[in-house]
Amino acid sequence: MSWFRFLHRRQSDAELQDEMEAFLAEETADNEARGMSPSEARRQAQVKLGNQQKVRESLWVQNSPQPFTMIDREVKYAFRTLSRTPGFSIIAVLIMALCIGAATSLFTIVRSVLLRPLPFRDPGRLVMLYEFHRGAEAGTQDSRYRPVAPGDFYDWREKTNGFEDMAIMRYAGYSLTGEHGELPELVRAATGSWNLFQLLGVQPALGRGFTQSEDQPASTIVMLSWNVFERRFAGDARIVGHQIHLDGKPFTVVGVLPSWFAYPDARIQLWVPYQSDVSTEFLRAHSHHQSKVIARLRRDMGLANALAQVGALQYQLHLQYPHDPVYEDVAPRALNEDLAGNVKKPLRLMLWAVGCMLLIGCLNIANLLVARGAARQKEIAIRNALGAQRAVLIREQLMESVLICGVGGLGGILLSISATRFLARAWKDLPTAQGIHLDSAVIAFACALIFAATLVAGLLPALSTTSKRIMAALQTSARTASSNVSRTALRKSLLTAEIGITVVLLVAAGLLLKSFLRLRASDLGCLTKNVLTLQYNLPDNRFDTPEKLNAFNEALLERVRTIPGVRSVALGNSVPGAGYWGDFSFTVKEHPPLAAGEDLPSGLARWADPGYFTALGIPLVGGRFFASDERGSRSYKVIVSRQLAQQYFAEDNPVGKHLQVPAHPHPKAPGESDYEIVGVVGDTAYHVGQEPKPTIYFPVFEGDQNGLMLAVRTSSDPLQFSVPVQKQIASLDPELPVSDVLTMDQVIGSSLVNASLSATLVLAFAVLSLLLASVGLYGVLSYLTTQRTTELGIRMALGAQRDQLLQLILFDGLRPALFGLGLGLIGSVATTRIFQSMLFGTKPLDPMVLTGVIATLLAVALLACLAPAWRASRLDPMKALRTE
Amino acid sequence: MRKGSQSQNEMLKGTLDMMILRTLVGGDAHGHTIAKVIERTSEDLLEVEQGSLYPALHRLQDRKWVSSYWGASENNRKAKFYRLTAEGRKQLVRETSRWRQMTRAIGLVMGEEGGAQ
């Protein structure tokens, strides 16, 4: 046999027929020569040739590879067996498709987010550098990693040589105004040092990148992302070299980034040089921790050595600026991990959950196949006795699981394509620096998964049904079939494992759900009902003095207040729950200077108008709110939060004391930074589920904040007010873009999306697993009951009561369930610790969750067992005894 | 199976390949000729069953001991001719010497002087 022959079987068959025809002709001619009549000659020739069909068949077989024909036969056989019970087959394939699909989707995301290197030149040597605060505690979002101050960065770049190069970047935002009367638009932007794109190995798609001489304060050049280039400038290459207006100032477009470039995320629309939007003081400062640093390791240098150099330098800086927040060490992070940030843990958790579900699915199919195998026990035993090899029998049994898993797996891969798309859209935190899509590695992973599933689901039943005890099986009659203890034990242990894993999943899902509910119900410290928020940004070329800013803001407040239905209005730079925004280090003027090495206290920085606290329902604890005439030089006042007061003024009354905030000097006098505390207000959380932090409120009428957030408290559905409020803004300044028009509930909701997503998904996996386990339980028990029909009949004949039989079967089914429950609870204790840090206000062994899980599982198990048990107790003893 | 007995036929099975190769030494031939030559030279003691002749020919071709081509037979009919290859010739030598050893050995056991020849 050769492959060539195999593939040309048909052709060689045709040739053979020709050949035999030729033989017939020759033989007939010979016979005729011997003097036979033509018909007799032909007949004799045919007799001599014999059965042509047989010759053809034997050659056909000779040309077919043996194992191949056998597999072909086995596939056909398995297919026929499966199609005899279409219900079972369809369910099994669906289970597999679901499990493989979910697992593949999650792996696609894990691979795209965590495993695949970013599409930059030699990504293995790229690393993010952070300042490292050894003293801070490592939490969910590891707070020891601190963004880098530009002063530190420029020192690192200049004075160390372990890295080939380092680049720095920072987030920014601009309002992009139209050249031809298009609507103004707030765009997310980033600033990057001139060498950033070179360091990453990114070539602009059009034009060029930044040069070193362009990376300086007040530089007005910009690079466009492909997105904004296509969307806003119609993909017209002539935009390069032309000007666009950012915050009302002309910027020259020098280049366009390629379409695949979406770092650090796809929402960044523009890049400007790092130094262009900051002052020289900012660049020298060692206290403005807002930037990210990417470094490329030298080829001949180990990461540890290079880091040691930077770390040593950083420690010197730390000693040199004892009262600035200059952290004592430097720590690296992989680029992927840096972007993945807080999705890493939920992702891992979900991968585990989906793995558990897959395992349960496989066990379930294994269980169902064991049942089917048991029914064919006798057939197998006879074939075995007739000389069938065990390997062949095992292969034949495996073929069913191969078909189920193969077809299911294929369906799963198709399913995962749309599931991945859905997940990528629903999961807001997922980094988008590289697209999330299937690739060859994912396909390979799915295939490996299918293979493993096939083995798990098929091998156990195959081994158990083809066990060597032929005699035992042949002797077994249906009457004694129920005595096959080992197989029953196997099925029960499979069930126990299934239920155990289900319990772990249920506990995890319950905890996540409770944590999510807690999170949603958590108190921000302010009113959230019927509040509309929106953001606007006053361009600083037109609003260049505090007076102009204040005039606009005051006029706006006045107009919005008069809209019917508006109860009160707050103006600030942010509202509680909307994010961290920024913090300032401060010292208390009246306190003795801090000892060297002691960390400076810091507080969140907020700006607020006099009506802010009343409108948002933040209570006044002491002192007073801002007065509306506190502006200009009279505005050097602050209000602090209760936590700040308690933490830094313990017994004292903070009102009347002064805070020195060097990072925020008086607008008119850069050297001065004393602020008098006039009031103390209640604590608010900057993010749902985060502990409140000490907060400092500055008066918004000091007039140096361009980016503002307006919060409007209304008497009815706040979204109805979005148009009237925006109309008021447009009537004051038609060119002003307004963004993020959201209700307070939406602001909070958006930060809960991810918590709700992971809770929902894990819950879905858990419910599916529960369903699978209960189907398994039901299946096993029904099967066992049918097997025991005769035994039950005898029991009845001997006088067993129906409820006794009910009990008997019920306990038989509940035993593995209880056992699994116990194992699962033990397993949960071990596993829930892993994701403890993802939980908010919920302990890993939350009694409510545990009780809930136990009750649910018992109820479902009872339901699954009740039907077969009921059937058993309703048996007609005469019929039962007659069944063979 | 008119003339050949069961035992003869079984023996033929193992040696058919060798005999086909031997037949082809005399020149290219098609299936009918091969069968006829074997039958004639064995003085009609052996009968070649077509059911094994054609699979054997294909097998030999797979092993590259013979090659085949379509040509015209002596009666000018289309027929598939087989030709011995160099590799086939070597194989024939090997088979022949093995056959001789075997028949000698069997002859010795059966008490024939000097083995069968």
Side-chain angles (χ1 to χ4, degrees):
Chain A
M1 197 294 299
S2 68
W3 282 108
F4 177 80
R5 284 278 164 138
F6 170 63
L7 295 172
H8 294 81
R9 277 191 302 186
R10 253 163 235 294
Q11 196 194 330
S12 78
D13 185 48
E15 264 188 36
L16 180 69
Q17 274 174 301
D18 281 353
E19 218 176 334
M20 285 191 296
E21 207 46 58
F23 176 90
L24 273 181
E26 292 287 336
E27 187 66 22
T28 313
D30 277 8
N31 285 346
E32 273 176 30
R34 284 191 202 111
M36 287 185 199
S37 71
S39 62
E40 178 64 9
R42 179 90 187 159
R43 201 186 69 83
Q44 285 293 341
Q46 264 162 352
V47 167
K48 182 154 181 145
L49 181 57
N51 187 348
Q52 293 192 37
Q53 198 62 32
K54 215 176 139 196
V55 179
R56 282 175 63 195
E57 269 174 19
S58 69
L59 194 71
W60 187 270
V61 169
Q62 192 183 316
N63 280 344
S64 310
Q66 270 300 301
F68 198 89
T69 43
M70 266 159 78
I71 288 172
D72 182 50
R73 204 167 50 217
E74 278 155 17
V75 169
K76 265 185 205 152
Y77 191 73
F79 183 75
R80 284 177 194 152
T81 327
L82 285 177
S83 47
R84 223 172 4 194
T85 49
F88 162 82
S89 313
I90 290 173
I91 289 176
V93 165
L94 280 183
I95 290 175
M96 234 36 233
L98 218 59
C99 295
I100 299 261
T104 310
S105 289
L106 270 173
F107 182 75
T108 312
I109 293 180
V110 169
R111 165 149 176 84
S112 307
V113 171
L114 294 175
L115 302 180
R116 202 187 311 142
L118 289 161
F120 301 138
R121 175 168 57 89
D122 198 1
R125 291 191 299 125
L126 289 175
V127 68
M128 305 293 298
L129 293 185
Y130 280 87
E131 294 189 20
F132 193 72
H133 189 24
R134 286 195 208 122
E137 58 182 294
T140 334
Q141 293 158 326
D142 196 337
S143 57
R144 291 173 304 173
Y145 289 83
R146 300 290 171 97
V148 179
D152 297 339
F153 164 75
Y154 285 108
D155 279 350
W156 294 353
R157 184 159 187 270
E158 205 172 302
K159 294 176 187 162
T160 69
N161 61 2
F163 291 99
E164 203 174 280
D165 202 355
M166 289 183 198
I168 189 164
M169 54 184 275
R170 210 180 112 185
Y171 291 100
Y174 287 101
S175 102
L176 176 61
T177 37
E179 312 305 307
H180 310 291
E182 297 103 329
L183 284 175
E185 177 188 356
L186 272 186
V187 290
R188 280 172 193 264
T191 70
S193 54
W194 62 276
N195 56 351
L196 176 69
F197 297 112
Q198 287 172 24
L199 180 127
L200 295 177
V202 175
Q203 292 296 326
L206 292 169
R208 58 173 178 87
F210 305 136
T211 63
Q212 189 163 10
S213 58
E214 285 166 338
D215 189 8
Q216 55 178 322
S219 153
T220 54
I221 57 167
V222 59
M223 284 179 84
L224 303 180
S225 74
W226 190 262
N227 176 321
V228 79
F229 170 67
E230 288 268 274
R231 184 169 57 79
R232 183 105 190 181
F233 302 102
D236 184 354
R238 281 172 301 182
I239 190 70
V240 175
H242 280 71
Q243 285 182 339
I244 61 171
H245 284 84
L246 300 179
D247 286 352
K249 277 183 288 191
F251 276 70
T252 308
V253 177
V254 294
V256 178
L257 286 159
S259 55
W260 57 264
F261 184 83
Y263 184 84
D265 67 62
R267 288 168 302 182
I268 302 290
Q269 309 274 307
L270 316 164
W271 286 82
V272 295
Y274 182 73
Q275 302 195 354
S276 69
D277 67 341
V278 291
S279 61
T280 4
E281 290 79 47
F282 178 89
L283 293 172
R284 267 186 245 122
H286 290 267
S287 54
H288 295 303
H289 295 275
Q290 296 172 356
S291 305
K292 289 178 162 225
V293 170
I294 306 180
R296 178 177 285 281
L297 194 64
R298 254 171 47 183
R299 280 185 192 284
D300 52 352
M301 198 73 159
L303 181 62
N305 286 343
L307 274 178
Q309 272 192 29
V310 183
L313 175 62
Q314 182 64 20
Y315 192 66
Q316 276 178 26
L317 291 171
H318 171 70
L319 295 179
Q320 200 176 331
Y321 300 96
H323 294 303
D324 274 352
V326 178
Y327 302 106
E328 58 272 45
D329 203 356
V330 170
R333 240 185 203 177
L335 259 63
N336 274 334
E337 206 165 317
D338 181 57
L339 290 180
N342 31 2
V343 304
K344 214 169 104 183
K345 275 215 168 130
L347 209 50
R348 278 215 191 118
L349 180 72
M350 270 185 233
L351 205 58
W352 274 108
V354 98
C356 285
M357 191 172 83
L358 183 64
L359 193 59
I360 291 174
C362 290
L363 290 179
N364 219 356
I365 290 174
N367 221 336
L368 293 167
L369 284 176
V370 171
R372 290 158 62 87
R376 284 171 56 191
Q377 183 68 18
K378 215 157 212 176
E379 174 209 326
I380 303 279
I382 291 171
R383 290 176 61 186
N384 216 333
L386 290 176
Q389 288 170 344
R390 188 167 186 217
V392 174
L393 291 176
I394 290 180
R395 207 168 54 203
E396 204 181 278
Q397 296 270 299
L398 256 181
M399 203 48 81
E400 280 180 34
S401 124
V402 168
L403 276 187
I404 293 174
C405 295
V407 175
L410 212 65
I413 293 177
L414 293 180
L415 189 73
S416 81
I417 296 175
S418 47
T420 311
R421 217 172 282 155
F422 162 76
L423 267 179
R425 240 199 339 256
W427 203 333
K428 298 281 187 270
D429 265 7
L430 279 186
T432 48
Q434 43 189 342
I436 288 167
H437 51 78
L438 281 179
D439 61 8
S440 51
V442 174
I443 303 276
F445 171 83
C447 289
L449 219 54
I450 294 172
F451 183 71
T454 307
L455 282 189
V456 172
L459 213 50
L460 267 176
L463 286 177
S464 88
T465 41
T466 59
S467 61
K468 282 266 172 179
R469 291 159 307 172
I470 311 172
M471 281 319 286
L474 283 176
Q475 283 162 356
T476 308
S477 75
R479 211 172 268 279
T480 51
S482 56
S483 62
N484 196 337
V485 183
S486 75
R487 187 155 314 110
T488 316
L490 172 69
R491 302 199 56 191
K492 282 187 177 160
S493 41
L494 283 178
L495 259 184
T496 311
E498 254 183 70
I499 291 170
I501 301 170
T502 307
V503 168
V504 176
L505 270 182
L506 279 175
V507 169
L511 289 177
L512 286 176
L513 200 67
K514 183 166 182 206
S515 150
F516 167 67
L517 293 178
R518 274 281 174 85
L519 212 51
R520 209 174 54 179
S522 72
D523 189 14
L524 279 179
C526 71
L527 290 172
T528 57
K529 255 209 141 16
N530 288 348
V531 179
L532 181 79
T533 67
L534 57 83
Q535 293 179 42
Y536 59 90
N537 196 29
L538 298 171
D540 52 7
N541 64 327
R542 284 192 289 127
F543 296 91
D544 48 356
T545 63
E547 289 72 29
K548 286 185 189 166
L549 279 166
N550 289 342
F552 179 90
N553 289 335
E554 263 186 309
L556 180 63
L557 283 173
E558 205 50 53
R559 284 176 179 228
V560 173
R561 270 195 200 108
T562 57
I563 299 174
V566 169
R567 289 167 65 183
S568 49
V569 187
L571 182 68
N573 69 328
S574 178
V575 292
Y580 192 85
W581 289 87
D583 56 19
F584 284 146
S585 303
F586 64 88
T587 48
V588 181
K589 193 182 176 192
E590 284 79 9
H591 287 183
L594 291 171
E598 204 173 323
D599 277 342
L600 281 180
S602 72
L604 293 183
R606 294 284 183 270
W607 280 262
D609 79 309
Y612 182 90
F613 303 98
T614 330
L616 289 174
I618 302 171
L620 184 68
V621 178
R624 60 170 176 88
F625 294 136
F626 296 127
S628 58
D629 62 343
E630 280 171 340
R631 53 189 72 185
S633 58
R634 290 170 47 102
S635 72
Y636 305 140
K637 310 278 193 317
V638 290
I639 292 175
V640 297
S641 70
R642 188 193 341 228
Q643 201 183 3
L644 189 144
Q646 281 168 354
Q647 217 162 319
Y648 300 106
F649 293 94
E651 306 294 306
D652 291 0
N653 181 5
V655 176
K657 305 280 192 310
H658 292 81
L659 295 185
Q660 289 181 316
V661 188
H664 183 64
H666 296 172
K668 291 271 169 61
E672 299 284 313
S673 62
D674 290 0
Y675 293 87
E676 185 194 341
I677 300 174
V678 295
V680 180
V681 294
D683 290 320
T684 59
Y686 63 89
H687 193 280
V688 182
Q690 296 283 346
E691 290 298 309
K693 283 185 86 96
T695 308
I696 309 168
Y697 295 91
F698 297 92
V700 79
F701 288 128
E702 72 181 21
D704 78 335
Q705 290 298 307
N706 297 84
L708 294 158
M709 194 184 279
L710 189 73
V712 184
R713 192 142 72 86
T714 60
S715 53
S716 56
D717 179 15
L719 276 181
Q720 288 174 354
F721 290 83
S722 62
V723 176
V725 172
Q726 289 187 68
K727 269 192 185 148
Q728 294 303 328
I729 293 178
S731 71
L732 278 171
D733 187 337
E735 272 187 27
L736 200 66
V738 170
S739 68
D740 298 309
V741 185
L742 296 168
T743 67
M744 194 82 160
D745 287 328
Q746 286 171 329
V747 170
I748 299 163
S750 70
S751 59
L752 287 179
V753 164
N754 302 308
S756 101
L757 187 75
S758 43
T760 318
L761 279 182
V762 175
L763 188 69
F765 296 152
V767 167
L768 265 172
S769 305
L770 184 65
L771 200 69
L772 289 180
S774 60
V775 166
L777 195 60
Y778 171 80
V780 171
L781 213 61
S782 316
Y783 173 74
L784 287 182
T785 320
T786 331
Q787 291 267 295
R788 288 173 69 175
T789 307
T790 328
E791 181 209 321
L792 294 173
I794 294 173
R795 280 174 187 265
M796 274 179 144
L798 290 178
Q801 294 302 307
R802 289 189 186 277
D803 49 343
Q804 280 177 315
L805 290 185
L806 187 75
Q807 258 178 24
L808 182 79
I809 300 290
L810 214 53
F811 279 124
D812 212 32
L814 281 182
R815 212 173 303 128
L818 287 174
F819 214 59
L821 183 63
L823 281 180
L825 287 178
I826 296 171
S828 317
V829 174
T831 47
T832 46
R833 305 218 168 275
I834 300 170
F835 66 99
Q836 195 168 1
S837 61
M838 278 178 65
L839 300 177
F840 170 77
T842 314
K843 290 206 174 60
L845 293 177
D846 189 277
M848 208 177 89
V849 170
L850 288 186
T851 341
V853 168
I854 293 171
T856 314
L857 194 96
L858 284 183
V860 170
L862 203 63
L863 269 180
C865 296
L866 213 51
W870 179 257
R871 238 180 287 137
S873 70
R874 296 292 111 180
L875 276 177
D876 175 359
M878 280 321 286
K879 268 190 197 157
L881 282 172
R882 280 202 204 98
T883 33
E884 166 60 4
Chain B
M1 217 171 287
R2 281 161 300 169
K3 287 170 266 179
S5 72
Q6 179 79 31
S7 57
Q8 272 172 326
N9 233 34
E10 287 218 329
M11 190 171 283
L12 186 65
K13 233 180 205 169
T15 52
L16 181 60
D17 288 11
M18 180 177 73
M19 288 190 290
I20 294 174
L21 293 177
R22 177 68 187 84
T23 314
L24 290 177
V25 171
D28 303 355
H30 52 83
H32 184 247
T33 321
I34 295 171
K36 220 161 69 182
V37 167
I38 291 177
E39 282 165 15
R40 291 279 150 75
T41 33
S42 71
E43 294 170 348
D44 282 347
L45 273 172
L46 298 173
E47 191 191 358
V48 180
E49 212 179 313
Q50 307 307 311
S52 45
L53 175 66
Y54 288 106
L57 281 170
H58 279 92
R59 196 163 55 234
L60 292 175
Q61 201 176 351
D62 276 349
R63 293 179 186 157
K64 307 240 173 348
W65 292 338
V66 301
S67 58
S68 71
Y69 59 92
W70 285 93
S73 72
E74 44 283 18
N75 300 328
N76 230 353
R77 287 195 190 84
K78 197 179 130 203
K80 195 173 183 188
F81 280 81
Y82 293 89
R83 167 184 288 161
L84 197 59
T85 62
E87 191 56 40
R89 224 172 270 279
K90 278 184 213 156
Q91 176 64 18
L92 178 60
V93 173
R94 279 195 293 271
E95 289 268 326
T96 317
S97 77
R98 230 188 51 200
W99 172 253
R100 295 231 161 94
Q101 274 177 354
M102 175 96 94
T103 43
R104 193 180 111 79
I106 296 172
L108 286 173
V109 172
M110 302 310 288
E112 286 170 35
E113 283 299 310
Q117 219 24 252

